[in-house]
Amino acid sequence: MAKLKSEDIALNNLIANRIKELRMKVDTNQKRFAENNDLERQTLNRWESTSDNRGVSIHTVKKFCKILNISLKDFFDSDDFNKL
């Protein structure tokens, strides 16, 4: 697997932080959020991890958006993404 460039790592981190930010608006407890949405807590933890160099796929982001009943546009509608 090729080493990620710094801008790719930055994007991965922004996505992970956005998932965590939006999840915390619904429930500050990761375990409870996962249980209430038929997810493994470890899966959610990996999605929110900034130390996992794999990042999350757009399919995962879409799945997360479906759980929150928001659009992909809403997910990426953050000033942080405009700074890239």
Side-chain angles (χ1 to χ4, degrees):
M1 183 179 200
K3 185 173 179 170
L4 293 177
K5 296 178 182 177
S6 61
E7 59 265 17
D8 296 330
I9 293 169
L11 178 59
N12 286 350
N13 291 344
L14 283 175
I15 291 171
N17 288 332
R18 182 71 169 154
I19 289 172
K20 184 175 183 177
E21 171 191 352
L22 292 171
R23 188 260 308 158
M24 289 189 70
K25 287 182 179 181
V26 174
D27 193 334
T28 57
N29 184 290
Q30 191 183 60
K31 182 180 181 212
R32 187 173 48 232
F33 179 89
E35 288 172 351
N36 290 340
N37 292 287
D38 199 27
L39 293 170
E40 294 288 328
R41 188 201 56 77
Q42 294 87 347
T43 299
L44 182 58
N45 187 53
R46 187 176 53 79
W47 292 356
E48 294 181 2
S49 174
T50 56
S51 62
D52 182 8
N53 289 335
R54 292 180 294 176
V56 248
S57 72
I58 192 66
H59 304 289
T60 298
V61 173
K62 185 177 179 184
K63 179 179 180 175
F64 181 75
C65 288
K66 189 172 182 175
I67 290 169
L68 295 184
N69 198 30
I70 64 172
S71 68
L72 285 169
K73 183 178 186 230
D74 291 335
F75 181 88
F76 289 105
D77 187 20
S78 168
D79 290 338
D80 292 334
F81 291 108
N82 293 327
K83 296 174 186 173
L84 291 178

